[in-house]
Amino acid sequence: MRPMAELPVVDESRCTGCGDCVAVCPVECLGMWGAVPWLPRPSECVSCGVCVVVCPPQAIRLEDQD
Ligand code: SF4
Ligand code: SF4
């Protein structure tokens, strides 16, 4: 287990549910929970930031997690 990692956090008020972030994640650790993406496998996230870059309304950011 890593001591600290940056993980994606979704601003649900901005997210349109397009699924782009889920589609581009290279390790497939994102999924859709209804119309909102979530991170069912956070330990697999490599903090690459691709989901952040691809999100049209800029609804994802990476945040340090304890
Ligand atoms: S930061 Fe990278 S690995 Fe982590 S959820 Fe986003 S696209 Fe996937
Ligand atoms: S790419 Fe952005 S708007 Fe689209 S589902 Fe992901 S967080 Fe929501």
Side-chain angles (χ1 to χ4, degrees):
M1 192 170 116
R2 293 169 296 182
M4 184 158 65
E6 285 193 320
L7 295 178
V9 175
V10 177
D11 180 346
E12 295 184 19
S13 69
R14 287 189 175 194
C15 175
T16 63
C18 69
D20 285 1
C21 54
V22 175
V24 299
C25 177
V27 295
E28 299 183 353
C29 65
L30 281 172
M32 294 301 286
W33 179 261
V36 177
W38 71 301
L39 192 65
R41 292 176 290 280
S43 64
E44 296 179 17
C45 174
V46 295
S47 304
C48 66
V50 172
C51 57
V52 174
V53 174
V54 78
C55 177
Q58 301 178 324
I60 302 187
R61 63 187 184 280
L62 292 182
E63 280 192 0
D64 283 340
Q65 307 290 313
D66 290 331

